Amino acid sequence: PEVVLSAIPEMDIGVIGEGEHTSVELAAALEAKTSLAEVRGLIYRDSTQPGQVVKTEPRPIEENLDALPWVDYEGLGLDVWSKLHKPGECAPALILDENTRVMPVMTSRGCPYACTFCCHEAAGRRYRLRSLDSVFGEIEEARARWGINAIFVYDDLFCLQRERLEEFCRRIEPMGMRWECSMTVGQINPDMLKMMKKSGCCCISIGVESMSPTVLQSMKKKATREQLEIALAQIYEAEIGLWSNLIFGDPKESLETV
């Protein structure tokens, strides 16, 4: 947060971590013209002391994700931007044709892993789940109101629990939705891929990052080159689209590892 504030002179206030409760309290404090020091989860410039930066007490993560209201997509113009993607753009496997209407959905927050290149402060390392009743309630409403027919699951790590993934697939299959998500190689196996494809999964994002054992170890990735090669082959064989991330520049990177 300090780096961002110092790099952007025009920036007055930043929200650190999950922002739902912090943003509401910040808006109330600004409206009432009261001190921001009592609002947890902020970094801001102290107007009474030029050059002074204040960082308030950290905001605890929200344990009960169902307590948060669904995003007000109407206020964000979902009816317009959900249909702006064209085939070949953004998520090529997800955008089937001109009639595809996409909505992002988050079913969980946090990630238990500790990869060196990732920012863990935003959502924390506690893996927290929304109930699938809440998730599908949001999807059903979006389908009824805006004709949504494709879902981009924005979880950093989708469905660590096999039972939850099976239930998700059972519930989304009758809806005829195309969907994609992010997973780790340790979650991948042929039976699971077959189930996902049958339910409408058209693309899986895998954090490959590197195929160098040295770099993977330096990144503290919980995956080996051998596991990556097996998982990628299984995804191809299942005829599911693949979206992979590659990262260059790790401290152990060299021309040879690249």
Side-chain angles (χ1 to χ4, degrees):
E2 292 85 353
V3 172
V4 174
L5 204 68
S6 65
I8 309 176
E10 300 83 3
M11 181 176 170
D12 300 308
I13 306 168
V15 172
I16 303 170
E18 294 179 323
E20 288 89 355
H21 299 301
T22 305
S23 296
V24 171
E25 293 180 18
L26 170 61
L30 291 173
E31 185 176 45
K33 294 183 172 56
T34 55
S35 173
L36 300 183
E38 302 304 314
V39 180
R40 292 181 292 181
L42 290 182
I43 186 168
Y44 63 93
R45 303 183 196 279
D46 189 342
S47 58
T48 64
Q49 303 181 57
Q52 183 69 31
V53 171
V54 177
K55 193 173 178 181
T56 65
E57 181 183 344
R59 169 78 57 178
I61 60 173
E62 176 59 67
E63 296 286 352
N64 180 15
L65 298 183
D66 284 1
L68 299 173
W70 298 339
V71 178
D72 177 15
Y73 282 121
E74 183 174 6
L76 295 173
L78 179 67
D79 57 328
V80 175
W81 61 257
S82 66
K83 58 186 176 183
L84 294 182
H85 292 305
K86 302 291 185 267
E89 295 178 349
C90 183
L94 188 64
I95 313 300
L96 184 63
D97 53 38
E98 300 286 341
N99 296 317
T100 305
R101 296 176 67 89
V102 185
M103 183 180 82
V105 172
M106 291 195 77
T107 77
S108 68
R109 288 186 183 178
C111 176
Y113 299 109
C115 302
T116 58
F117 52 81
C118 190
C119 175
H120 305 288
E121 290 188 21
R125 290 180 62 184
R126 272 184 67 84
Y127 187 61
R128 293 156 290 144
L129 301 170
R130 286 175 65 187
S131 70
L132 289 182
D133 285 344
S134 172
V135 171
F136 280 96
E138 182 180 17
I139 294 174
E140 287 282 11
E141 180 178 281
R143 186 168 71 155
R145 294 181 67 181
W146 298 295
I148 296 299
N149 54 21
I151 298 297
F152 196 118
V153 180
Y154 262 85
D155 301 23
D156 289 328
L157 188 56
F158 179 60
C159 277
L160 274 181
Q161 303 169 354
R162 173 64 184 253
E163 297 78 12
R164 177 181 170 85
L165 177 58
E166 290 175 350
E167 183 184 350
F168 182 91
C169 290
R170 280 197 303 271
R171 295 179 69 161
I172 201 168
E173 182 177 351
M175 301 172 73
M177 290 270 186
R178 295 172 64 78
W179 61 280
E180 72 171 72
C181 63
S182 297
M183 304 183 83
T184 66
V185 293
Q187 297 172 271
I188 304 298
N189 65 68
D191 290 341
M192 189 192 68
L193 292 172
K194 183 178 180 180
M195 173 184 67
M196 291 174 66
K197 182 176 176 63
K198 183 173 180 288
S199 75
C201 179
C202 57
C203 185
I204 298 175
S205 175
I206 295 290
V208 173
E209 325 309 358
S210 175
M211 290 300 270
S212 161
T214 300
V215 173
L216 289 171
Q217 186 174 12
S218 174
M219 289 176 168
K220 296 185 178 179
K221 287 285 293 184
K222 298 297 183 182
T224 65
R225 176 175 178 154
E226 291 72 26
Q227 286 176 312
L228 287 165
E229 289 175 338
I230 291 170
L232 296 179
Q234 289 176 343
I235 294 172
Y236 283 128
E237 289 166 7
E239 298 184 342
I240 295 177
L242 176 67
W243 179 313
S244 80
N245 304 314
L246 299 171
I247 296 178
F248 299 97
D250 180 85
K252 295 293 185 180
E253 195 82 85
S254 66
L255 288 177
E256 288 73 24
T257 61
V258 172

